[in-house]
Amino acid sequence: MLTLSSQNLLIKSSRSVLREVLNHALREEEGAFPSSPARRLCASLIFRRTCTERCRTSSPAHYITTPIFYVNASPHIGHVYSAVIADCLHRYKILQGFNSKFATGTDEHGLKIQQAAAVAVKDPLTFCTEVSNRFSHVFRRCDISYTDFVRTTEDRHRQAVEKFWTVLVDNGFIYRGSYEGWYSMPDESFLTETQVVDSTDPLGRPIKISTESGHKVEWMKEENYLFRLSDFRTKLQHWLKSNPQVIQPEKFYHIVLQWLESDLPDLSVSRQKSRLQWGIPVPGDCEQTVYVWLDALVNYLTVVGYPEQYSHWWSVVHHVVGKDILKFHAIYWPAFLLAAQLPLPQAIHVHSHWTVQGKKMSKSLGNVVDPLETSLKFTVDGLRYFLLRQGVPDTDCDYDDDKVVKLCNSELADVLGGLLNRCTAPSLNPEQIYPPFCNTSFPKGSEELTGRAMLEDYKMVKAVSRLPTLVKENFENLHVYKALEAISGCVRMTNGFIQRHAPWKLNCRNIEDKLWHDTILHVSMECLRIFGILLQPAVPGLADKILSRLGVGPGERSWDHALDFLSRYEGRGCPYERRALGPNTGVLFNRLERKKVQGITQKPGK
Ligand code: MSP
């Protein structure tokens, strides 16, 4: 709800005031509803405005994608994890001054979607639209700031796939043939003899399953089109060997190289229409439907306007993918791109999976963690923080409500929230300003400790001044957990600094004590300002709260602003000194109560 003064400001439609208006509205909203939808909308508008402003300048480009999500099931936290990682990199790139494009969307064709729609007694498009909307809703709710949402049922996508197919045909990489072999419908994947093993179904009947996913496979024999994948083994090996960083983490790079040790059979890239109707017809042959993975992978090109002007973005594409779809992104996709004479991705960032009590999330096990419910229980930033802080790309991680509560309470509520509260509480900061720094109390690099600062304090200043470089490295490798771990370590150090010097015990009527008191707060706020800037990609809502409370304006939140730390200590002026604090919006992060969480978690009747 915007008040009259916000509305009056809104009447001034000039772009230059838009940001101010939104900030104003934000501040007003903040007081009453710390995380109201209007507040989130304003924050997101400010963020989008920043993106648009950047687009107008000649900033370097960056393009990040998530996989597009199957619509045969509702979004779960694993899907949100893929999206949050990509969102974090996108936001980080914007802070770095990049013009960043961030695409996500839904994968809507294929047999399993066709069957899921039939089970739901809906026509496939209606069914897809419903589930696709659920994904976009969940993503917006989780502050996933995508710039494009693509659906494979869109017309622009069909056109891109048709063109891509035609180029592959024209370049001589698609031929008519017949395919005979194993097919896993849940994975929409063709498998070789070595990729399947004997098993039994729930009724004890013998079946074959995929060694990788455990899904049932079926023998398939049909006339269709094949892609000359076998032509690309050496080229792919060469690409990987000359770009050892292209697949991250390194573990997955080696896995792909190992796959390439064996022969690559040609790949069936269509299905008979009689078996699969829900898909894009093969150009010039309406009896065949394009293979869902070829269809799906082209989404990355659709988003950037292929086949028209796409090269600006295409040359800087980075994919985020889960480990289960590595083969499609690190072998099939680069081979298709080579065949179409298009540049290969700059990087493929792979992540592992979230399990629940060590088990894969699945509807049948009833252990699927709903991101909407979870974000309501723990807040969006709580959920994002947990996923990014605990999620390790190399290994699977186990999700557990208790872990979320413990982590958020300790790192967000107690340590980070406590620090902000200490610096800004009227009892310690009655003037409600960014207090002045005194060089005599905290002299630069004083080995002899001539001021009042102690050795640990110098260590803390050093650690925080190095933090942006460390965080940058880890954000760029998508080791977000390491970045957050480093930030959390510095937050603890800063809390220790305040605790050590207990400014609340100083007598501010004594001039020296007053100078030292203000210096302690100034240094702590400078640390908080850096934490706020660096946390923006991971927990945008919390970071905004910190920076707004410190009175740091939207134009003062870029990565470069984090490089200018404690400038008064360095002998330069500080723009924040003596500035009035932003409005007090209350506690940064409310402690989560296990009892309350359980209450909400419990299903009725339990
Ligand atoms: N539609 C294909 C991707 C096509 S991209 C051209 C697909 N969809 S999916 O919905 O099954 O998976 C989408 C993403 O979610 C994948 O990156 C996958 O690894 C990820 N996750 C699915 N379950 C997951 C967990 N339990 N944990 C973490 N990520 C998970 O594959």
Side-chain angles (χ1 to χ4, degrees):
M1 204 196 310
L2 300 179
T3 61
L4 205 59
S5 57
S6 299
Q7 288 172 11
N8 287 339
L9 276 169
L10 271 166
I11 293 166
K12 299 182 201 166
S13 60
S14 138
R15 284 206 178 106
S16 60
V17 297
L18 180 62
R19 192 187 292 282
E20 269 318 298
V21 171
L22 292 172
N23 268 326
H24 182 82
L26 243 168
R27 268 181 243 125
E28 286 185 351
E29 278 293 324
E30 246 167 1
F33 314 103
S35 60
S36 70
R39 192 188 131 64
R40 304 180 77 80
L41 175 70
C42 290
S44 128
L45 281 172
I46 289 175
F47 189 72
R48 276 171 202 203
R49 163 74 33 200
T50 314
C51 306
T52 321
E53 275 164 11
R54 298 243 186 246
C55 290
R56 279 195 226 106
T57 64
S58 55
S59 320
H62 189 266
Y63 174 33
I64 180 101
T65 69
T66 70
I68 48 170
F69 300 89
Y70 285 133
V71 290
N72 61 324
S74 288
H76 60 57
I77 54 151
H79 301 134
V80 169
Y81 181 56
S82 274
V84 168
I85 292 180
D87 184 51
C88 191
L89 192 64
H90 169 65
R91 289 176 181 269
Y92 159 75
K93 283 289 169 186
I94 289 174
L95 290 181
Q96 283 267 330
F98 278 76
N99 180 11
S100 179
K101 187 183 266 300
F102 168 23
T104 188
T106 41
D107 189 353
E108 306 186 6
H109 289 136
L111 214 49
K112 65 178 173 185
I113 315 286
Q114 191 177 302
Q115 289 182 354
V119 169
V121 205
K122 298 209 165 125
D123 78 274
L125 188 58
T126 309
F127 174 79
C128 289
T129 305
E130 278 176 22
V131 186
S132 179
N133 288 345
R134 242 177 271 159
F135 272 94
S136 55
H137 173 70
V138 165
F139 288 169
R140 281 198 302 273
R141 159 80 194 157
C142 292
D143 279 348
I144 309 294
S145 55
Y146 57 80
T147 58
D148 294 82
F149 191 96
V150 61
R151 297 180 55 187
T152 52
T153 46
E154 283 177 71
D155 221 36
R156 60 169 176 156
H157 178 67
R158 184 187 43 76
Q159 286 169 20
V161 171
E162 284 171 354
K163 176 67 187 174
F164 193 78
W165 177 281
T166 311
V167 172
L168 297 188
V169 172
D170 291 348
N171 291 351
F173 291 106
I174 286 185
Y175 62 95
R176 234 196 129 91
S178 70
Y179 176 81
E180 191 167 349
W182 296 106
Y183 191 74
S184 158
M185 205 218 333
D187 305 314
E188 299 283 16
S189 180
F190 298 95
L191 301 162
T192 60
E193 236 6 281
T194 58
Q195 293 170 315
V196 301
V197 280
D198 289 324
S199 184
T200 47
D201 71 6
L203 299 174
R205 290 173 300 202
I207 53 164
K208 298 260 186 199
I209 58 165
S210 153
T211 48
E212 216 178 295
S213 68
H215 289 136
K216 186 180 166 199
V217 298
E218 272 156 33
W219 188 255
M220 196 184 104
K221 187 176 177 187
E222 60 182 49
E223 286 279 308
N224 47 30
Y225 290 93
L226 287 114
F227 171 74
R228 294 189 195 282
L229 185 62
S230 51
D231 281 10
F232 291 93
R233 189 159 78 102
T234 323
K235 289 182 190 110
L236 291 174
Q237 280 170 329
H238 177 73
W239 169 58
L240 289 176
K241 288 196 173 139
S242 29
N243 295 281
Q245 308 286 323
V246 76
I247 299 176
Q248 296 280 348
E250 209 183 333
K251 163 184 166 182
F252 294 108
Y253 170 77
H254 293 295
I255 291 179
V256 178
L257 274 181
Q258 206 179 338
W259 285 336
L260 289 170
E261 295 283 301
S262 324
D263 278 343
L264 286 183
D266 284 352
L267 178 70
S268 170
V269 282
S270 72
R271 304 291 315 269
Q272 277 174 9
K273 175 124 188 250
S274 53
R275 293 181 200 259
L276 172 65
Q277 296 89 48
W278 186 237
I280 298 175
V282 164
D285 185 350
C286 56
E287 286 312 306
Q288 295 274 329
T289 305
V290 175
Y291 172 44
V292 279
W293 266 101
L294 173 54
D295 168 345
L297 287 160
V298 173
N299 91 84
Y300 303 131
L301 282 166
T302 304
V303 166
V304 294
Y306 178 85
E308 304 304 327
Q309 290 176 341
Y310 58 91
S311 50
H312 172 69
W313 294 108
W314 194 249
S315 56
V316 289
V317 63
H318 295 64
H319 300 305
V320 169
V321 302
K323 62 176 187 179
D324 55 323
I325 53 175
L326 180 58
K327 179 179 67 184
F328 302 96
H329 285 84
I331 294 185
Y332 296 179
W333 185 224
F336 292 155
L337 290 169
L338 285 169
Q341 295 179 315
L342 288 169
L344 300 185
Q346 290 215 322
I348 301 173
H349 296 284
V350 191
H351 65 76
S352 296
H353 279 187
W354 284 94
T355 54
V356 174
Q357 291 177 325
K359 296 208 175 74
K360 207 175 156 168
M361 272 182 271
S362 82
K363 244 197 214 164
S364 52
L365 287 177
N367 63 354
V368 174
V369 183
D370 174 357
L372 279 183
E373 204 180 289
T374 319
S375 71
L376 284 172
K377 280 192 294 193
F378 305 126
T379 75
V380 168
D381 283 309
L383 173 63
R384 286 177 66 113
Y385 190 75
F386 175 76
L387 292 177
L388 293 171
R389 173 83 169 88
Q390 295 281 300
V392 182
D394 312 55
T395 44
D396 285 354
C397 302
D398 208 51
Y399 176 87
D400 175 36
D401 275 357
D402 263 341
K403 283 194 206 165
V404 188
V405 173
K406 275 193 198 129
L407 181 81
C408 291
N409 280 350
S410 121
E411 297 196 355
L412 299 181
D414 297 348
V415 188
L416 186 62
L419 180 62
L420 180 68
N421 185 44
R422 278 177 158 174
C423 298
T424 56
S427 52
L428 208 57
N429 188 338
E431 293 162 275
Q432 290 291 283
I433 57 164
Y434 215 100
F437 176 87
C438 165
N439 290 84
T440 321
S441 311
F442 207 137
K444 183 163 182 206
S446 166
E447 308 258 304
E448 303 82 33
L449 301 176
T450 54
R452 294 179 74 163
M454 297 159 70
L455 204 61
E456 286 94 324
D457 307 338
Y458 286 96
K459 278 193 197 156
M460 174 196 73
V461 167
K462 209 171 182 179
V464 178
S465 60
R466 287 180 178 164
L467 190 62
T469 313
L470 191 63
V471 171
K472 176 178 179 271
E473 255 171 47
N474 287 310
F475 273 162
E476 278 174 3
N477 295 333
L478 280 189
H479 284 144
V480 182
Y481 73 103
K482 280 195 191 162
L484 296 181
E485 188 178 77
I487 296 173
S488 171
C490 283
V491 179
R492 278 183 201 281
M493 282 174 120
T494 314
N495 241 339
F497 165 70
I498 294 212
Q499 192 64 34
R500 197 157 48 242
H501 297 295
W504 49 89
K505 288 193 184 153
L506 293 170
N507 173 10
C508 284
R509 279 188 294 266
N510 171 323
I511 183 72
E512 276 184 16
D513 272 11
K514 168 72 175 150
L515 290 173
W516 177 225
H517 171 279
D518 285 355
T519 302
I520 297 169
L521 292 196
H522 180 100
V523 172
S524 306
M525 284 194 187
E526 270 295 273
C527 293
L528 263 171
R529 184 177 64 81
I530 305 306
F531 306 147
I533 292 177
L534 304 185
L535 282 171
Q536 290 176 98
V539 279
L542 282 187
D544 172 52
K545 258 185 134 177
I546 296 172
L547 295 169
S548 299
R549 180 69 174 122
L550 295 179
V552 177
E556 297 169 327
R557 298 177 180 191
S558 75
W559 202 262
D560 284 351
H561 285 89
L563 304 180
D564 193 18
F565 166 60
L566 210 53
S567 51
R568 290 281 286 105
Y569 170 79
E570 300 292 344
R572 300 190 307 276
C574 169
Y576 314 100
E577 204 172 57
R578 295 182 200 282
R579 186 187 280 188
L581 293 184
N584 184 356
T585 57
V587 178
L588 176 70
F589 188 90
N590 280 308
R591 281 191 118 252
L592 302 164
E593 282 173 45
R594 184 62 201 140
K595 250 202 322 207
K596 239 194 227 165
V597 168
Q598 269 175 345
I600 297 167
T601 313
Q602 266 177 3
K603 299 238 157 52
K606 276 199 177 170

